[in-house]
Amino acid sequence: MPPFQDRNDAGRQLAGLLAAFRGHDVVVLAPPGGGVRVAAELATTLHIALDVILVRPLTVARRPDLVYGLLGEDETLLIDTTAVADGALCESERAETEQRQSEILRRSAFSYRGDRKRVDLRDRTVVITDDCLTDATVLRHSCRMARVHGAIRIAVAVPVAARSALGNLSPYADKIVCPHPTAQPPDADRWYPPGGPTASADIAALLGGNHSCDWSNGFAGPDRRTTPASRSSSMRGRCS
């Protein structure tokens, strides 16, 4: 029998380890997927705000292996200037990528929240969760974007995770909580009963049904675009 009855049960068990994370200044976030069910249970049990965190890694068509940055909501942009220089990425191909990914973000945000904006993270403590962590990449991106969005403290809390993934997250989180660390990447099917994927409609229902979040006061601030000053000067080469 799997250790967890379902992802709600995993969230309830995890909430027992997060008693200090309560109050109007705490938000729980999850990337889209089964982790939103865990996050929703944390939000309900701890009486904190709930939201998804949306991040798109940026690559250009001719170098799909090279992630040169991250794009978040409100056009928040993190650029790896070393990757830009190493890939000789041109302004025009980057602009095309960023416009395309920005549109994907807008569509995703609308499918999950409708007309509501994301929860404002400025000067708040953020708990980032998922259901089964095999690799650190997605939550690392989430931590970095939450920090840029204004989070003053970040905790990663997951029911089950590979020890290697938790170790890779330690530079990006102020606290890590995991009751079931594993030597090998965990298989979700061994930790949870069989179930279908968490669809966009499911996520929208979970966000809409969470009354710990006061959406009227939780709107994000003005749009902002964060780019290093050396963005253009660090590029070399020409677009063909």
Side-chain angles (χ1 to χ4, degrees):
M1 183 176 179
F4 301 122
Q5 296 176 14
D6 53 25
R7 284 162 176 79
N8 290 28
D9 178 49
R12 284 190 293 271
Q13 293 189 38
L14 190 58
L17 303 176
L18 298 171
F21 292 85
R22 295 176 180 269
H24 71 279
D25 61 336
V26 182
V27 183
V28 59
L29 305 175
V36 180
R37 296 188 184 277
V38 177
E41 193 62 41
L42 289 176
T44 298
T45 303
L46 299 173
H47 304 287
I48 57 179
L50 167 69
D51 203 0
V52 288
I53 184 160
L54 305 178
V55 185
R56 299 293 298 181
L58 298 173
T59 64
V60 297
R62 65 181 175 84
R63 287 296 307 272
D65 58 312
L66 181 67
V67 175
Y68 73 84
L70 302 174
L71 181 66
E73 293 186 81
D74 303 330
E75 300 297 320
T76 304
L77 186 64
L78 293 174
I79 293 295
D80 181 345
T81 54
T82 299
V84 170
D86 289 347
L89 306 184
C90 299
E91 188 74 27
S92 60
E93 61 184 346
R94 286 177 49 200
E96 180 182 356
T97 292
E98 289 156 26
Q99 181 177 4
R100 182 175 65 253
Q101 294 300 333
S102 179
E103 181 57 33
I104 292 173
L105 276 178
R106 282 193 291 270
R107 290 199 303 266
S108 297
F110 183 79
S111 70
Y112 301 137
R113 304 193 197 97
D115 293 326
R116 298 173 308 215
K117 293 187 178 181
R118 64 176 178 84
V119 174
D120 193 351
L121 303 185
R122 288 174 294 183
D123 300 323
R124 301 178 86 169
T125 294
V126 169
V127 178
I128 299 178
T129 191
D130 210 339
D131 55 350
C132 185
L133 190 63
T134 60
D135 177 80
T137 303
V138 172
L139 290 200
R140 182 177 68 244
H141 294 343
S142 300
C143 288
R144 294 185 65 195
M145 193 57 64
R147 193 79 73 180
V148 175
H149 282 318
I152 58 173
R153 186 185 183 201
I154 295 176
V156 168
V158 286
V160 56
R163 287 192 181 93
S164 59
L166 296 173
N168 289 335
L169 286 171
S170 60
Y172 303 93
D174 303 295
K175 185 178 181 65
I176 295 179
V177 177
C178 179
H180 299 285
T182 61
Q184 300 298 323
D187 181 352
D189 292 338
R190 300 190 64 174
W191 288 86
Y192 298 99
T198 303
S200 296
D202 300 319
I203 294 173
L206 289 166
L207 296 183
N210 179 255
H211 301 295
S212 299
C213 176
D214 180 359
W215 288 100
S216 65
N217 294 320
F219 284 4
D223 287 0
R224 55 185 172 178
R225 189 173 179 87
T226 304
T227 57
S230 58
R231 170 175 173 165
S232 298
S233 62
S234 64
M235 295 189 298
R236 57 174 179 266
R238 296 174 54 193
C239 290
S240 56

